[in-house]
Amino acid sequence: MSRCTVIIAEDHGLVRAGLVALLEKEAGIEILAAVADGEEALEHIQRLRPEVALVDLSMPRLSGVEVARRVREAGLRTAVVIVSVHHEPDFVRASLEAGAAGYLIKESAPRELVDAVRAAAA
């Protein structure tokens, strides 16, 4: 299995720690950074060039949608996967239109998160 590098951006510390714990136990997935806001996420994406950025929709300083938009506009190859509590189609649509590679509901099963990260990396 090939290696996949990931940055996690989530403003809730407990959720961020859970995402890190879930993904770092997966073979081939390497967490490069876990940050608390969208601006930090963008800085780390630009500097570390991960294959995948797992980004919360609603964060301080820059939203997940804005992070996805800026990654796309900068021509970076990082695939942004938005993670959210929101089920509404408008949020999904806005995320995908901004350039997100995927959208995952926080109620999803842990396996779905791993599968989404691997799919985005591919």
Side-chain angles (χ1 to χ4, degrees):
M1 185 171 292
S2 64
R3 192 186 108 186
C4 170
T5 55
V6 179
I7 286 179
I8 295 171
E10 164 63 57
D11 59 322
H12 294 96
L14 188 57
V15 176
R16 186 172 57 251
L19 292 170
V20 168
L22 184 78
L23 290 175
E24 71 183 0
K25 72 178 184 175
E26 290 294 319
I29 295 180
E30 179 185 357
I31 307 299
L32 299 179
V35 299
D37 67 58
E39 202 165 285
E40 282 183 289
L42 191 57
E43 290 168 7
H44 280 78
I45 291 166
Q46 291 169 333
R47 185 169 50 85
L48 300 174
R49 307 293 171 127
E51 292 167 274
V52 178
L54 196 58
V55 181
D56 186 19
L57 177 70
S58 302
M59 292 184 296
R61 303 197 320 171
L62 287 179
S63 71
V65 171
E66 188 59 28
V67 170
R69 180 176 291 111
R70 292 187 186 191
V71 166
R72 183 192 71 212
E73 289 172 353
L76 301 172
R77 299 188 70 184
T78 299
V80 176
V81 176
I82 304 289
V83 181
S84 178
V85 297
H86 300 287
H87 298 87
E88 294 84 1
D90 289 344
F91 289 110
V92 178
R93 188 176 310 105
S95 297
L96 297 177
E97 287 173 354
Y103 189 97
L104 193 67
I105 303 299
K106 287 183 180 178
E107 294 173 1
S108 299
R111 185 81 244 153
E112 290 178 86
L113 174 70
V114 173
D115 291 345
V117 167
R118 291 195 193 282

